[in-house]
Amino acid sequence: MIRYGIIGTGGMASGHAERTGKIEGVEMAACCDIDAERSAAFAEKHGFAASVTAYEDLLERCDAVAIVTPDKFHAPLTLQGLAAGKHVMCEKPLTTTFADAKEVASAARKAHDAGQVTFINFTYRNSAAWQEARRMIADGAIGEVRHATGRYLQAWLAAKVWGSWTQEQWLWRCETPKNPDGTPVGPAAGGVLADVGCHILDFITGLTGPASSLRCTAKSFPNVDPDTGERHTTYQGRTLDANSSVSVELDLDGGGLALAQATRWASGHPNQVALGVYGTEGAIEIDLEDSWTKLRHCLGEARHRSGWTAVDLAKTPTNYDRFIASIATGEQDQADILRGAKIQAYLEACDLSVQADGARTPVPSLGL
Ligand SMILES: NC(=O)c1ccc[n+]([C@@H]2O[C@H](COP(=O)([O-])OP(=O)(O)OC[C@H]3O[C@@H](n4cnc5c(N)ncnc54)[C@H](O)[C@@H]3O)[C@@H](O)[C@H]2O)c1
């Protein structure tokens, strides 16, 4: 049995527990939160044998842990978990600074050598549509990639579709992360770019191949109270300074151009993830708002008459399935923590580009 545990028992943790709890060979060993009551209720709901408040206690009881806390705790908790010899799945984004990403990547590399499994939870890899698109593009179905466009639209700053942004689970997402000395990490650190931009950057470059430079624009706006229309740049002592609408233009190593957009202001789209990839011999499009198991392609001769074919696919294993399977088989599956760190390198380049008023900026190396 794999003794499994979760740290951080808030909104996202339920998805981890529900899905992982159904996998054969998993023992729901323990969960942990700084909020003891929340953790105890979570343990009861999901059948964890123990509920603890100290991470060390969790680590003692588990072989594998999922880190589902707010972003700023991901790096220290991942480093501690790896140092304790555990298999670690970390929530996205992997870290809040690039310095931390390099440190975590280096620790993950050593952990892999020691037989530990690491995962970053890029959820949209759970879609059969993306996995099939990845296979098709790698097999050359669309020829050479010339253009890709991806969008991650959310609505929660403009619409109360997920409750009000004044709730704690949204407030921490509205603050730019801080360095240890209290200064903000950078204008494009945190915010929608890190929160869901990391997903769309993974979604796009996981299909098109990497980019070695990019340009980024990031905007911050006052939050608007959806009931009164009042505008806030601070709220209950919190500075609401994080970016909430971004666009990134990536220079793909293969020569093509890719565009990624993310926003929290898209009324009508609580959570839309969509992309199109266009090559010399055809195109593939995905819209997860419609379906996670459908894609459409326009390939070969059909492209001369703009003929699209919709493809229905069987579900694919989720990150949760693949994390546990990787531990059981000793074969590390996609996507590991090094991939999470690579996406942090894109985010670092975005931040530097914004600081340089949108200048083309090289994607920094992880130095591994
Ligand atoms: N992969 C995805 O699609 C996806 C979706 C949503 C959230 N997330 C990620 O999941 C993480 C959690 O998000 P959420 O929406 O569940 O947040 P949340 O605020 O609902 O829950 C966070 C929980 O962590 C606890 N916590 C805070 N600091 C802690 C610490 N130091 N030690 C232990 N527990 C601590 C809080 O008490 C809370 O229960 C974030 O990193 C977020 O980016 C990922």
Side-chain angles (χ1 to χ4, degrees), residues 7-13 32-35 38 67-71 73-74 77 91-93 121-124 152 168-169 172-173 195 199:
I7 180 160
T9 59
M12 186 60 193
C32 173
D33 200 291
I34 45 171
D35 183 329
R38 185 177 298 159
I67 295 166
V68 199
T69 62
D71 305 351
F73 303 109
H74 293 178
L77 296 174
E91 261 308 337
K92 49 50 60 176
N121 195 24
F122 286 139
T123 301
Y124 302 97
Y152 195 137
E168 176 56 28
Q169 71 266 34
W172 65 257
R173 289 172 162 90
D195 191 24
H199 279 304

Side-chain angles (χ1 to χ4, degrees), residues 14-307:
S14 289
H16 285 256
E18 275 161 24
R19 292 186 171 112
T20 311
K22 289 189 185 130
I23 304 171
E24 213 173 302
V26 171
E27 178 189 329
M28 302 297 264
C31 62
C32 173
D33 200 291
I34 45 171
D35 183 329
E37 255 178 58
R38 185 177 298 159
S39 181
F42 189 84
E44 175 144 2
K45 179 169 176 204
H46 296 287
F48 284 96
S51 165
V52 299
T53 51
Y55 188 37
E56 291 74 15
D57 288 347
L58 182 80
L59 292 176
E60 259 180 34
R61 292 162 194 265
C62 298
D63 309 307
V65 290
I67 295 166
V68 199
T69 62
D71 305 351
K72 66 180 173 185
F73 303 109
H74 293 178
L77 296 174
T78 297
L79 288 170
Q80 205 179 329
L82 292 177
K86 307 301 170 183
H87 308 289
V88 175
M89 173 184 275
C90 185
E91 261 308 337
K92 49 50 60 176
L94 181 62
T95 63
T96 52
T97 68
F98 186 55
D100 280 352
K102 287 196 280 190
E103 193 182 346
V104 172
S106 163
R109 170 74 47 97
K110 285 193 196 114
H112 292 167
D113 291 344
Q116 289 161 255
V117 168
T118 71
F119 258 70
I120 178 85
N121 195 24
F122 286 139
T123 301
Y124 302 97
R125 286 180 177 241
N126 296 344
S127 68
W130 187 85
Q131 294 290 346
E132 176 64 3
R134 184 171 184 252
R135 189 197 62 72
M136 288 173 71
I137 291 170
D139 286 352
I142 65 167
E144 293 161 39
V145 173
R146 292 288 193 253
H147 191 86
T149 173
R151 60 187 181 281
Y152 195 137
L153 306 183
Q154 293 191 324
W156 57 269
L157 278 181
K160 293 191 286 184
V161 281
W162 291 341
S164 166
W165 56 259
T166 55
Q167 293 166 322
E168 176 56 28
Q169 71 266 34
W170 305 116
L171 273 181
W172 65 257
R173 289 172 162 90
C174 295
E175 289 186 297
T176 294
K178 306 292 183 294
N179 290 307
D181 66 1
T183 55
V185 169
V192 73
L193 182 63
D195 191 24
V196 303
C198 67
H199 279 304
I200 199 69
L201 288 168
D202 175 61
F203 212 62
I204 294 176
T205 60
L207 298 187
T208 61
S212 49
S213 60
L214 57 77
R215 300 196 292 181
C216 179
T217 306
K219 301 271 185 189
S220 307
F221 307 94
N223 285 16
V224 181
D225 188 306
D227 296 315
T228 63
E230 222 175 298
R231 278 148 202 260
H232 297 268
T233 51
T234 59
Y235 190 80
Q236 293 179 345
R238 317 284 276 267
T239 308
L240 310 178
D241 56 352
N243 62 78
S244 55
S245 197
V246 296
S247 88
V248 186
E249 196 180 299
L250 299 134
D251 304 305
L252 300 174
D253 289 357
L257 179 67
L259 305 170
Q261 297 173 51
T263 186
R264 294 170 168 170
W265 296 96
S267 292
H269 295 287
N271 203 56
Q272 185 191 38
V273 182
L275 67 68
V277 188
Y278 308 94
T280 49
E281 291 165 41
I284 295 178
E285 291 182 345
I286 297 174
D287 185 345
L288 300 187
E289 204 168 52
D290 289 343
S291 170
W292 284 47
T293 52
K294 276 187 191 149
L295 59 72
R296 63 179 206 148
H297 60 62
C298 178
L299 300 176
E301 285 306 303
R303 74 188 191 276
H304 300 302
R305 49 182 169 77
S306 303

